[in-house]
Amino acid sequence: MPASLPPSELHFADAPAVDEVPGPKSRRMRERQQATESSAVLYPTEVPLAFREGRGATLEDVDGNRYLDFFAGISVLNVGHANPYVTEAVTEQAERLPHSLDFPTEARLNLVGKLEEIAPGGLAGDSRVVFGGPTGSDAVEGSIKLAKQYTGNRGMIAFYGGFHGETSGAFSLSADGKYKRDYTPLLAEVEHAPFPYPFRQDCDPQAAVERSLETVKTLLGDRYGAMPNPAGVWVEPIQGEGGIVVPPAGFLSGLRDLCDEHDVPLVVDEIQAGMGRTGEWWGSDHYDVTPDAITVAKGIGNGHPLSATIYREELDTWGPGGHTGTFRGYNVAMRAALRSIEYIEAHDLLDHATDLGVSIRKRLCGVESPLLAQVRGLGLFVGAEMVDADGIPSADVAAAVRRRCMERGVLVWGGGRDDNVVRLLPPLVMTREQAETGLDVVRDAIENVTAKRVD
Ligand SMILES: Cc1ncc(COP(=O)(O)O)c(C=O)c1O
């Protein structure tokens, strides 16, 4: 079947087109939500909008305002909101057989075959897939059990600035002290090492890599500094929540070497960076490294929740029931996932993500503002690190940029260790023209914040 509408025809044609933001209907719906839902609701506290329809890389709110979407549900809607090629299969599957535990179905087997084909490096053709529950955290929990079961060990190594989810095991690997402190103790025997972040560490890229690898080496093998029984190393190939931190060359390959030397699995968390976001299927593809396992969620089902852990065949020692649960066979999301991959392939969206990412970063780098400290990224995984007039990381400046963008119909997201990074993660189907229009707004927002601060 042809992959239906081309990317250029997926969107509301007139976005951005905004009047009052947030409009009266959005405000009323937000009030209703606040009156009834949990205080834990997060996203609308920062983007106080109520949406009613999404198409491609555009969104419409309940007041009829239309937006360019540069956050794609946090790297989820890679082939765009309500992509008809995905929706067609989803509808057909929902009418026939939505749920079937882990019994074999065409939907399941076809997706597993495709994942094995696009898996990174040597995992292609030599992998097994286990579906988790629907969220990224579920995939990470699966990878923790897998590594512990395979090695018989318990210790885990992760990185500063890393985020792997909020269930107990995944939260233990995440490095976010602010949100973790109310829930400790989490899993015992987790150590965090520095993630190379030359800009923050105020050193050159090579020194940042060496510092990081030295710590991991000590944890893995130094007689007087090591964890007694490491089960694996968990790492994002490019940190997402941490602020789009792209590690310098040598880091991931160095970790690969250390894991080989000490015979522990290297688990690469591709939940945010994977599924084509960086212009390759996987973040680790940029570094020519074959992980022992990867975790996948977010973009895989293009909004239909699904997660998977894909791992080297040799690790497959846990046997029937080794990792089980009810919702590990949602055929609807599996059909969505296969269709999303086919759509990316049919429309060369990996190359498009690479090219568009270069031009977005170039336009951002051209902003002359002392408050824009660094622009980073790969493909459509872009971060702009904002600081205040004294060069200190500034969440206020980043929030002001985001607010001004929203008021002008462009939705960008935040992140970073100090919430000071403006994150741009548009659907891979965003057109060049849409990106140009959006970047005019983002650039203007950054310059405007500058003007306010300097005045
Ligand atoms: C790299 C990474 N791993 C894991 C997760 C957790 O995924 P979920 O929120 O679906 O549980 C996230 C979520 O942001 C993530 O970015």
mmCIF file of all heavy atoms in Angstrom, residues 135-137 140 163-165 236 241 269 271-272 298, ligand 1:
data_model
loop_
_atom_site.group_PDB
_atom_site.id
_atom_site.type_symbol
_atom_site.label_atom_id
_atom_site.label_comp_id
_atom_site.label_asym_id
_atom_site.label_seq_id
_atom_site.Cartn_x
_atom_site.Cartn_y
_atom_site.Cartn_z
ATOM 1 N N THR A 135 4.728 2.211 28.613
ATOM 2 C CA THR A 135 5.561 3.417 28.750
ATOM 3 C C THR A 135 7.055 3.124 28.641
ATOM 4 O O THR A 135 7.493 1.975 28.760
ATOM 5 C CB THR A 135 5.338 4.089 30.127
ATOM 6 O OG1 THR A 135 5.947 3.255 31.131
ATOM 7 C CG2 THR A 135 3.881 4.277 30.435
ATOM 8 N N GLY A 136 7.808 4.196 28.460
ATOM 9 C CA GLY A 136 9.253 4.069 28.409
ATOM 10 C C GLY A 136 9.807 3.466 29.688
ATOM 11 O O GLY A 136 10.722 2.625 29.657
ATOM 12 N N SER A 137 9.243 3.900 30.816
ATOM 13 C CA SER A 137 9.717 3.356 32.097
ATOM 14 C C SER A 137 9.582 1.839 32.124
ATOM 15 O O SER A 137 10.429 1.137 32.684
ATOM 16 C CB SER A 137 8.911 3.942 33.261
ATOM 17 O OG SER A 137 8.972 5.340 33.230
ATOM 18 N N VAL A 140 12.457 0.300 30.415
ATOM 19 C CA VAL A 140 13.676 0.389 31.237
ATOM 20 C C VAL A 140 13.628 -0.674 32.344
ATOM 21 O O VAL A 140 14.633 -1.348 32.621
ATOM 22 C CB VAL A 140 13.852 1.814 31.809
ATOM 23 C CG1 VAL A 140 15.010 1.870 32.792
ATOM 24 C CG2 VAL A 140 14.061 2.811 30.672
ATOM 25 N N PHE A 163 17.901 10.728 32.354
ATOM 26 C CA PHE A 163 16.514 10.468 32.734
ATOM 27 C C PHE A 163 16.071 9.173 32.076
ATOM 28 O O PHE A 163 16.221 9.000 30.861
ATOM 29 C CB PHE A 163 15.588 11.611 32.319
ATOM 30 C CG PHE A 163 14.176 11.414 32.819
ATOM 31 C CD1 PHE A 163 13.854 11.662 34.137
ATOM 32 C CD2 PHE A 163 13.183 10.933 31.976
ATOM 33 C CE1 PHE A 163 12.557 11.443 34.619
ATOM 34 C CE2 PHE A 163 11.888 10.712 32.444
ATOM 35 C CZ PHE A 163 11.578 10.974 33.772
ATOM 36 N N HIS A 164 15.513 8.262 32.909
ATOM 37 C CA HIS A 164 15.099 6.958 32.383
ATOM 38 C C HIS A 164 13.677 6.603 32.797
ATOM 39 O O HIS A 164 13.246 5.474 32.565
ATOM 40 C CB HIS A 164 16.073 5.875 32.848
ATOM 41 C CG HIS A 164 17.483 6.124 32.406
ATOM 42 N ND1 HIS A 164 17.941 5.817 31.150
ATOM 43 C CD2 HIS A 164 18.530 6.714 33.049
ATOM 44 C CE1 HIS A 164 19.216 6.172 31.027
ATOM 45 N NE2 HIS A 164 19.601 6.725 32.171
ATOM 46 N N GLY A 165 12.959 7.521 33.433
ATOM 47 C CA GLY A 165 11.581 7.244 33.808
ATOM 48 C C GLY A 165 11.375 7.326 35.304
ATOM 49 O O GLY A 165 12.315 7.646 36.063
ATOM 50 N N GLU A 236 21.823 7.258 27.968
ATOM 51 C CA GLU A 236 21.149 7.832 26.796
ATOM 52 C C GLU A 236 22.241 8.189 25.781
ATOM 53 O O GLU A 236 23.260 8.775 26.158
ATOM 54 C CB GLU A 236 20.409 9.110 27.187
ATOM 55 C CG GLU A 236 19.198 8.902 28.061
ATOM 56 C CD GLU A 236 18.731 10.225 28.660
ATOM 57 O OE1 GLU A 236 18.019 10.969 27.978
ATOM 58 O OE2 GLU A 236 19.095 10.514 29.817
ATOM 59 N N GLU A 241 15.989 14.853 28.439
ATOM 60 C CA GLU A 241 15.521 15.707 29.538
ATOM 61 C C GLU A 241 16.677 16.520 30.106
ATOM 62 O O GLU A 241 16.499 17.630 30.577
ATOM 63 C CB GLU A 241 14.896 14.860 30.651
ATOM 64 C CG GLU A 241 13.677 14.062 30.240
ATOM 65 C CD GLU A 241 12.573 14.930 29.705
ATOM 66 O OE1 GLU A 241 12.140 15.844 30.414
ATOM 67 O OE2 GLU A 241 12.144 14.699 28.562
ATOM 68 N N ASP A 269 19.531 3.748 26.175
ATOM 69 C CA ASP A 269 18.136 4.175 26.282
ATOM 70 C C ASP A 269 17.811 5.087 25.094
ATOM 71 O O ASP A 269 18.176 6.260 25.075
ATOM 72 C CB ASP A 269 17.935 4.894 27.622
ATOM 73 C CG ASP A 269 16.488 5.326 27.830
ATOM 74 O OD1 ASP A 269 15.727 5.362 26.848
ATOM 75 O OD2 ASP A 269 16.129 5.642 28.986
ATOM 76 N N ILE A 271 14.783 5.873 24.126
ATOM 77 C CA ILE A 271 13.370 6.230 24.239
ATOM 78 C C ILE A 271 13.074 7.612 23.670
ATOM 79 O O ILE A 271 12.065 7.816 23.000
ATOM 80 C CB ILE A 271 12.913 6.076 25.707
ATOM 81 C CG1 ILE A 271 12.800 4.574 26.022
ATOM 82 C CG2 ILE A 271 11.616 6.799 26.000
ATOM 83 C CD1 ILE A 271 12.723 4.215 27.485
ATOM 84 N N GLN A 272 13.972 8.569 23.900
ATOM 85 C CA GLN A 272 13.724 9.912 23.360
ATOM 86 C C GLN A 272 14.503 10.172 22.069
ATOM 87 O O GLN A 272 14.023 10.843 21.161
ATOM 88 C CB GLN A 272 14.064 10.978 24.406
ATOM 89 C CG GLN A 272 13.537 12.338 24.032
ATOM 90 C CD GLN A 272 13.494 13.346 25.163
ATOM 91 O OE1 GLN A 272 13.634 14.534 24.917
ATOM 92 N NE2 GLN A 272 13.287 12.940 26.404
ATOM 93 N N LYS A 298 8.102 6.080 23.442
ATOM 94 C CA LYS A 298 7.708 7.367 22.862
ATOM 95 C C LYS A 298 7.310 7.285 21.392
ATOM 96 O O LYS A 298 6.199 6.925 21.066
ATOM 97 C CB LYS A 298 8.822 8.391 23.059
ATOM 98 C CG LYS A 298 8.954 8.887 24.495
ATOM 99 C CD LYS A 298 9.818 10.129 24.573
ATOM 100 C CE LYS A 298 10.110 10.586 25.980
ATOM 101 N NZ LYS A 298 9.022 11.314 26.621
HETATM 102 C C1 LIG B 1 15.433 8.761 27.706
HETATM 103 C C2 LIG B 1 14.147 8.441 28.402
HETATM 104 N N1 LIG B 1 13.995 7.257 28.986
HETATM 105 C C3 LIG B 1 12.852 6.921 29.613
HETATM 106 C C4 LIG B 1 11.799 7.817 29.694
HETATM 107 C C5 LIG B 1 10.545 7.426 30.403
HETATM 108 O O1 LIG B 1 9.500 7.253 29.492
HETATM 109 P P1 LIG B 1 7.988 7.321 29.988
HETATM 110 O O2 LIG B 1 7.730 8.742 30.389
HETATM 111 O O3 LIG B 1 7.165 6.911 28.807
HETATM 112 O O4 LIG B 1 7.846 6.376 31.116
HETATM 113 C C6 LIG B 1 11.927 9.071 29.097
HETATM 114 C C7 LIG B 1 10.832 10.061 29.188
HETATM 115 O O5 LIG B 1 10.996 11.233 28.973
HETATM 116 C C8 LIG B 1 13.124 9.402 28.438
HETATM 117 O O6 LIG B 1 13.306 10.598 27.858
#
